[in-house]
Amino acid sequence: MTSVHVALGTRGYDILIEAGALARSGELLAPLAKGRPMPIVTDANLKAQLNALRESLNAVGIETQAIVVPAGEGSKSWEMLAFVMDRLLDMGIERSDHVIALGGGVIGDLVGFAASILKRGCRFVQVPTSLLAQVDSSVGGKTAINTPAGKNLVGAFHQPSFVLIDPLVLETLPPRELRSGYAEVVKYGLIDDAGFFAWCEANGEALLAGDIEAREVAIAHSVAAKARIVAEDERETSGRRALLNLGHTFGHALEAETGFSDRLLHGEAVAAGMALAYAFSASEGLCDPADADRVAAHLKAVGLPHDLRSAGVDASGATLVAHMRHDKKMEAGTLPFLLTRGIGATYLDRTVSLDRVAAFLDSHTVPA
Ligand code: GLY
């Protein structure tokens, strides 16, 4: 069992990582419930997890009502936001009540945003059920829905009151989704922790194969890294939190090119994006090419995309850069890029020439 505190003063909260925590959620959440009911929002694929959560809450006398939305990114919509909020209002939710978000990133983003505006801000608890949500999206208070204009364009910073992470729930996660979430674990090593990247090289395959201890270590380490960064730059204004976007600008172009579809999952795009960020940095003479090779080799070893070809993308540099120009991080005509001086030495560069990025993408392929 590990507990990590997100040090944000009055908005601070704890993240508990414990194999079996879901079965103990009643005793863990009772101090927050204070005798009030706890509504649960989840998706239709999580029946077993919902039953386990309800059973544990009911056993300590916490009343629950479930709101079930369809699984998938489509639920991050105005319609589903209105549906969830109307249901919570019908249930008589009060401002100091806690809504439980049980699910992956979609549920966390949707419920967090609903909580941020319901009664001008009510409380919520994250119970993430995917590796990606456990190591990234459930921590840090970014919430959003998608609109026809793009992904995550309507949202709020709204911190949860508690994050309960049970690595055992990953046992039923499809292997491809698990691997996709693992890309975000590797990201923490590549950002500023070369020792953790070396740990990933040594333990990543065991983690993906089911080693619970390795999963707990990786989640706790990732969450602690994210908590530190969020505490330093909660609203992404100083550039520190932007480091968490490593691989996301290249990755965004790959996701756009593949239609934000199952052809390339978000974490897969981030994996290829990180490898490309390292390879681009090497091609610009900023980092040792051996470091870029090491990153690509690890991603390849665990079955993640590590270049354009393995990401299933066959587009010109100009096409991919055109997607980048629509990235919401675009500011005053420039796009901040996360580049690197080596493993664990990522930095933000606002002076990158998109023409050079396009030329690099046209020339870069890792030998099969
Ligand atoms: N996933 C990036 C962030 O939370 O800032």
Side-chain angles (χ1 to χ4, degrees), residues 41-42 84 99-102 106-116 124-125:
V41 184
T42 191
V84 167
V99 184
I100 301 178
L102 172 71
V106 168
I107 292 292
D109 277 10
L110 174 69
V111 178
F113 186 40
S116 78
F124 79 116
V125 170

Side-chain angles (χ1 to χ4, degrees), residues 176-264:
R176 187 176 169 204
E177 264 193 57
L178 190 72
R179 247 196 326 273
S180 167
Y182 176 71
E184 301 273 1
V185 172
V186 175
K187 185 182 79 177
Y188 294 106
L190 296 181
I191 289 174
D192 64 0
D193 191 343
F196 185 57
F197 180 70
W199 183 92
C200 288
E201 289 178 308
N203 298 281
E205 286 171 67
L207 181 160
L208 290 169
D211 183 331
I212 282 290
E213 209 180 304
R215 288 180 184 182
E216 260 191 86
V217 170
I219 295 166
H221 197 94
S222 302
V223 156
K226 179 144 188 188
R228 236 179 358 255
I229 291 174
V230 168
E232 286 168 31
D233 182 20
E234 182 183 9
R235 291 185 169 241
E236 205 166 313
T237 47
S238 75
R240 183 83 183 125
R241 184 165 183 164
L243 295 178
L244 295 170
N245 296 330
L246 172 63
H248 283 61
T249 299
F250 284 102
H252 173 87
L254 304 180
E255 283 183 285
E257 183 61 22
T258 48
F260 291 100
S261 68
D262 286 356
R263 274 177 61 198
L264 193 65

Side-chain angles (χ1 to χ4, degrees), residues 71-93:
E73 189 76 21
S75 283
K76 279 176 61 170
S77 65
W78 288 113
E79 292 72 23
M80 215 45 76
L81 180 69
F83 169 75
V84 167
M85 290 200 300
D86 285 340
R87 289 289 315 274
L88 290 168
L89 290 167
D90 288 346
M91 289 174 186
I93 184 137

